[in-house]
Amino acid sequence: MKLLKWLLGTIAVLVLVVGVGVVALVYLVDWNDFKDTIQNQVKKQTGRDLQITGDLSPSVFPWAGISIGEISLANAEGFGETPFASIDSADVKVKLLPLIKREINVRTVELEGLQLDLQREADGTTNWDDLLKSTTTTTTTINDDDANSQVTTEVEGSSATIAALSVGGIEILDANVSWRDATTGTDAALSGFNLRTDSIELEKPFALDVDFSVASDSMDLTADVKGSGELMIDLDSQIYTVKAFTLSTDARGGAVPAGELSATLQADVVAMLDAQKVDVSSLKLTTLGLELDGSLNVENLDTEPAITGQFASNEFSPKQIFGKLGLEEPVTADESVLDKASLTLALSATPDSAALNELSIVLDDTRFTGQASVPSLEGAIPPVRFDFAVDAIDLDRYLPPTSEVSDEGAPADQPADGEGGGDVPIELPSEMMRQLDIDGTFRVGSVKVSNLTTSDIVIPVKASGGKLALQNMQAQLYEGLFNGTTRLDVAGETPVYGVQLQLDGIQADPLLSDLLQKDSFLSGGGAVAADITSRGNTVNQIMAGLNGQFNTAFSDGSINGINLGYQIRRAKAALSGQSLPAEEGAVKTDFSSLAVSGTFTDGIMQSDDLDMRSPLLRLGGEGSVDLPAESVDYTLTTLITGTAQGQGGADLASLKGVQLDIPIRGTFDELAANFAGVILSGMKDNITGNLKNQAKALADEKAAELKAQADELKAAKEAELKEKAEEVTSEAVEKARDKLKGLFK
């Protein structure tokens, strides 16, 4: 504002002076005779050469003014031979008589062929520094009687009040400005700048049109720009108005997505300098099929500028924007997504802070709302506060389609596990993360991801001093409640990781079925808890640094994919040479309860308290899983109850009460390739020993039984023979008696 007042005042004073003396000067002096004098004075004041090639042609009545031909001002020393500034011609004339009434009536102001060369060297010096050494400020020193001291004050040059201003028009043709900045390696060139106005009068609207081109080799950018609007100047009220302002650009080059971009900006602007405010209404930005409408207000221009605004978009297609930007459209599982979107928002900002309020984004069927703020703009990375919410979203629709994995495994160019992949450093932006100051919350009504459905999600996010955490997360999923916290600490040289979680009332079968997209290996309701930490800069280091504990407890469920009762019967049949019918029904091992816990120590998980109870079996177990070595050394203890019910209990009556210790040993790859085979092999070894012992016991029992039968038979035979002998003897005696009786008759 001070500059404008000074400029208008200076014009008024100059015009008055010119009006008084120009008549005599025009007729008495040949101005071209003073070219050398003018050039010498410029050289003396600036140290630069001024070349006046064209004629100086003054006029007096009724228009006082001057026409100037070609002029150029040399560049500063060390900035090359190209002139700092030059013009082909200029013409300014003021009507003489209205000056008496302090009315300025200017004929069309014409300036043609301006060339301006601006440069900044690597040390920060510019080719206009020397022109700014002098000052136009007048200082006045006065005595302060009260303080008995001197006070220096700045005094603006006085300016006469302008009663009226009328300009026939302003015409600037073919102006060119070049810019080169060696400190950043950037350059830019404005060329073909043309500006034209209608007649200009105070408090009356006048039209303005401008067009130019901008190019930058360093940014690989070229743009053609056109602008127009209706302006009005009210000096008394200090209100400056621009209506129907339109600025359009067509940009090309490598810096522009797809190599070409068109945009149009429209607005009405009212600058009320006395009130220190600017209102921008009917603001509209149009580009890429997106239309953003809104308004802006700026207050406290001279003190603490404060900006507020409201914006709203049309409904647009993100897919179409990808295409117009020359980007490949995302491949999504649902081809209908990314078809429609819109947004509204409010913003506020000061030199010290900024805030985004009333944010609402609609994407397809999902609404995203919230607010965010930057309380302080100081520092390389300002603090961030936010509170965002999503009503419902199916992320699976936006993810790439699930690819079919062949039985042959990973592609040939993908390194196998253990071939150095785990030792590849995890590159975390630790320096940047240590400067983060974040405190916010994400809320989601419901989300589906990896076919897993979760609702009532609350995720607090905190970051400070290199410590980041998703703290006290909550969610409802599969009839259960999730609480958890994940942490990452990069304050030291080695990142530290941590996770705490608790799942209560979870239903394992639907959760794992949805997550794995196949039949779940576990069913039943239960709870899971874990508190695990680790540290490291690679995957291997993180696995080797695992420490903590976990525990689980499930009831009324099953281990799916293996029927331990059938596998035991199968092993027994194979050893005894019997045939076994094909497995019938679901391949699972039912249990009434299942509980297990474990402890991680430097990447090795130790668990000694497996307890599973089923109608047929009691399972226990102890052993370890070595994650760095990717191996298992675990012994599964099976106690056969041999009940006549459930999963073939009657067929295992002969093994009732038998305890089988089944070793599960091998690498992850071996177990993954044939887990059932490992179980069966262990069962065969244990059942073989048990059957041998049972066979010997049965043989001994049979021998004793046969011996008892033989002894019993022998005793019976002896008794029978004795009885027979006694009977024969009795008969013989009787016959002998009869004969003796006959002899004695």
Side-chain angles (χ1 to χ4, degrees), residues 174-377:
D174 196 24
N176 300 274
V177 180
S178 64
W179 163 252
R180 182 185 62 81
D181 188 347
T183 63
T184 60
T186 58
D187 69 281
L190 182 148
S191 61
F193 181 89
N194 300 303
L195 183 146
R196 300 176 180 84
T197 71
D198 289 345
S199 298
I200 301 173
E201 293 187 46
L202 294 179
E203 301 180 27
K204 292 184 179 180
F206 61 92
L208 178 146
D209 291 285
V210 63
D211 63 88
F212 57 89
S213 295
V214 177
S216 171
D217 292 334
S218 61
M219 292 185 286
D220 190 13
L221 174 68
T222 302
D224 297 326
V225 181
K226 292 183 179 181
S228 63
E230 186 180 83
L231 284 68
M232 188 171 71
I233 301 173
D234 186 344
L235 292 179
D236 290 337
S237 301
Q238 294 195 32
I239 297 176
Y240 305 86
T241 304
V242 182
K243 288 187 176 181
F245 172 73
T246 301
L247 185 69
S248 60
T249 179
D250 293 310
R252 303 170 299 280
V256 181
E260 188 172 356
L261 179 68
S262 296
T264 301
L265 178 66
Q266 298 172 295
D268 292 335
V269 183
V270 179
M272 296 163 280
L273 299 188
D274 264 355
Q276 292 299 302
K277 62 186 297 185
V278 176
D279 291 337
V280 181
S281 59
S282 302
L283 181 61
K284 184 172 186 176
L285 174 65
T286 305
T287 185
L288 300 172
L290 173 66
E291 296 180 4
L292 191 63
D293 296 298
S295 62
L296 274 176
N297 303 99
V298 185
E299 297 183 346
N300 307 324
L301 290 176
D302 275 355
T303 54
E304 285 275 330
I307 301 173
T308 57
Q310 299 275 345
F311 296 92
S313 79
N314 63 327
E315 185 177 282
F316 60 93
S317 169
K319 275 187 178 180
Q320 292 181 6
I321 290 181
F322 276 108
K324 292 178 180 180
L325 290 174
L327 303 175
E328 185 176 352
E329 291 183 10
V331 179
T332 57
D334 185 347
E335 295 181 354
S336 67
V337 299
L338 299 176
D339 187 55
K340 58 182 180 179
S342 62
L343 67 89
T344 61
L345 61 91
L347 62 84
S348 59
T350 70
D352 300 323
S353 63
L356 186 65
N357 304 307
E358 302 173 25
L359 175 64
S360 177
I361 300 174
V362 177
L363 177 61
D364 300 320
D365 302 321
T366 298
R367 180 179 293 275
F368 178 96
T369 59
Q371 56 189 20
S373 65
V374 179
S376 173
L377 294 174

Side-chain angles (χ1 to χ4, degrees), residues 309-540:
Q310 299 275 345
F311 296 92
S313 79
N314 63 327
E315 185 177 282
F316 60 93
S317 169
K319 275 187 178 180
Q320 292 181 6
I321 290 181
F322 276 108
K324 292 178 180 180
L325 290 174
L327 303 175
E328 185 176 352
E329 291 183 10
V331 179
T332 57
D334 185 347
E335 295 181 354
S336 67
V337 299
L338 299 176
D339 187 55
K340 58 182 180 179
S342 62
L343 67 89
T344 61
L345 61 91
L347 62 84
S348 59
T350 70
D352 300 323
S353 63
L356 186 65
N357 304 307
E358 302 173 25
L359 175 64
S360 177
I361 300 174
V362 177
L363 177 61
D364 300 320
D365 302 321
T366 298
R367 180 179 293 275
F368 178 96
T369 59
Q371 56 189 20
S373 65
V374 179
S376 173
L377 294 174
E378 295 182 358
I381 302 179
V384 176
R385 306 290 181 263
F386 66 84
D387 192 342
F388 295 136
V390 176
D391 56 357
I393 186 168
D394 183 351
L395 291 177
D396 288 341
R397 299 172 63 197
Y398 297 88
L399 297 175
T402 303
S403 58
E404 296 295 332
V405 180
S406 67
D407 294 335
E408 297 179 358
D413 58 350
Q414 179 175 331
D417 292 341
E419 292 184 359
D423 281 329
V424 176
I426 300 175
E427 300 291 346
L428 295 176
S430 299
E431 288 299 325
M432 180 273 290
M433 295 168 69
R434 290 170 188 146
Q435 301 178 60
L436 292 178
D437 181 1
I438 300 174
D439 190 350
T441 303
F442 286 105
R443 308 175 195 274
V444 184
S446 67
V447 63
K448 182 180 178 185
V449 58
S450 297
N451 212 47
L452 196 67
T453 302
T454 311
S455 62
D456 300 328
I457 303 167
V458 180
I459 305 177
V461 181
K462 295 183 182 296
S464 179
K467 298 180 179 180
L468 292 79
L470 304 180
Q471 189 169 324
N472 298 324
M473 296 181 288
Q474 298 180 6
Q476 298 277 351
L477 69 163
Y478 296 89
E479 304 181 32
L481 176 64
F482 167 82
N483 286 278
T485 294
T486 62
R487 302 180 304 277
L488 172 59
D489 187 346
V490 295
E493 293 184 4
T494 303
V496 178
Y497 304 85
V499 60
Q500 291 176 306
L501 64 88
Q502 185 168 346
L503 282 167
D504 290 320
I506 201 76
Q507 290 296 318
D509 188 19
L511 185 152
L512 295 173
S513 295
D514 286 350
L515 179 64
L516 302 175
Q517 284 291 277
K518 59 182 180 181
D519 291 339
S520 168
F521 62 83
L522 180 69
S523 67
V528 178
D531 186 354
I532 299 172
T533 62
S534 187
R535 59 191 300 122
N537 290 299
T538 69
V539 174
N540 284 351

Side-chain angles (χ1 to χ4, degrees), residues 642-691:
T643 61
Q645 315 215 346
Q647 297 198 320
D651 294 337
L652 294 177
S654 62
L655 295 178
K656 180 179 179 179
V658 173
Q659 178 173 303
L660 302 177
D661 292 330
I662 305 170
I664 304 174
R665 297 186 179 93
T667 66
F668 290 175
D669 290 340
E670 291 169 349
L671 294 173
N674 188 17
F675 182 73
V678 172
I679 295 289
L680 180 60
S681 176
M683 287 179 177
K684 284 181 178 180
D685 292 340
N686 281 273
I687 291 175
T688 298
N690 280 279
L691 288 179

Side-chain angles (χ1 to χ4, degrees), residues 589-634:
T589 302
D590 295 327
F591 62 80
S592 58
S593 65
L594 170 63
V596 64
S597 65
T599 301
F600 285 95
T601 304
D602 296 333
I604 299 175
M605 188 276 289
Q606 184 73 35
S607 177
D608 299 326
D609 62 353
L610 173 65
D611 182 14
M612 191 193 87
R613 300 173 182 268
S614 77
L616 172 65
L617 306 168
R618 301 289 186 268
L619 290 183
E622 61 179 6
S624 63
V625 178
D626 190 333
L627 293 177
E630 298 185 350
S631 64
V632 177
D633 184 358
Y634 194 82

Side-chain angles (χ1 to χ4, degrees), residues 20-29 60:
V20 173
V22 72
V23 175
L25 289 174
V26 166
Y27 293 107
L28 298 177
V29 178
V60 179

